[in-house]
Amino acid sequence: MNLHANKVTQNGGLLMAYAEHQKAECTFEINPFNRPLELSGIEAWTRLILRLMFMEKGTYPSEPKMGCGITAEMYETIDVLKGTVRNIVESQIRQFLPDLPFYGINVYSEDELIEGGEENVVYYMIAFQKESGAIQTVKVPSRVVHRVIDFDIVF
């Protein structure tokens, strides 16, 4: 769920103000105060991009072309995955998440990064350009476990 806080008003005043490109993203997790966990900034942007990457086209009838459709079967041929993911993801972000400060994405297999690494582990390096102009990269290792893609987010 995306909350565009700059549109929320109460009694004619701005209830919350976020900097340009800020998003608040609700999760299915609970914070230490037993409230729904909300992420913002790079954490929220990363989750939005991952959701878009693994979403199948047609998931939302109102946006039938939304979704990259990265599936477990694509991990069997890492070279094909690496060759197609970048173009698909960048195109989808331009179309459906144009307000994110997305800079680029690269895909690496673990054996490229770590000597003796597993072949079926893929790293998505997602880069964002901060307001200062600095580039911040998020590493998302993922692998297929029992035909399901499992991933972690490393900041």
Side-chain angles (χ1 to χ4, degrees):
M1 171 193 292
N2 289 330
L3 303 175
H4 296 281
N6 61 344
K7 295 181 181 177
V8 179
T9 61
Q10 181 179 29
N11 298 330
L14 191 60
L15 180 66
M16 298 171 73
Y18 280 94
E20 185 179 1
H21 302 302
Q22 281 286 353
K23 296 233 184 262
E25 185 72 15
C26 292
T27 68
F28 291 108
E29 300 170 41
I30 301 295
N31 69 15
F33 301 104
N34 207 26
R35 308 278 303 178
L37 178 65
E38 288 186 13
L39 303 175
S40 64
I42 198 163
E43 293 173 337
W45 304 331
T46 302
R47 295 255 181 141
L48 286 170
I49 290 173
L50 290 172
R51 187 176 301 138
L52 186 65
M53 287 172 57
F54 298 115
M55 181 188 306
E56 292 291 329
K57 289 186 186 301
T59 299
Y60 293 113
S62 60
E63 292 288 351
K65 294 182 180 180
M66 178 186 267
C68 298
I70 296 174
T71 63
E73 288 77 27
M74 293 176 80
Y75 278 68
E76 293 175 5
T77 54
I78 298 294
D79 292 331
V80 172
L81 180 70
K82 288 170 45 181
T84 59
V85 164
R86 184 176 186 171
N87 293 334
I88 293 170
V89 171
E90 288 180 355
S91 172
Q92 287 278 311
I93 290 171
R94 279 192 304 274
Q95 185 174 0
F96 296 106
L97 301 171
D99 60 332
L100 293 187
F102 174 75
Y103 187 77
I105 184 168
N106 286 312
V107 183
Y108 301 96
S109 59
E110 186 175 71
D111 60 341
E112 287 179 295
L113 300 175
I114 302 170
E115 189 174 324
E118 295 182 43
E119 291 182 11
N120 68 337
V121 176
V122 174
Y123 288 88
Y124 299 101
M125 305 292 207
I126 304 170
F128 299 94
Q129 186 164 13
K130 299 171 92 177
E131 289 179 9
S132 65
I135 305 298
Q136 184 171 358
T137 303
V138 177
K139 178 171 68 172
V140 182
S142 68
R143 73 179 329 161
V144 175
V145 180
H146 304 291
R147 310 309 295 156
V148 174
I149 299 172
D150 185 23
F151 62 86
D152 190 16
I153 302 171
V154 182
F155 294 97

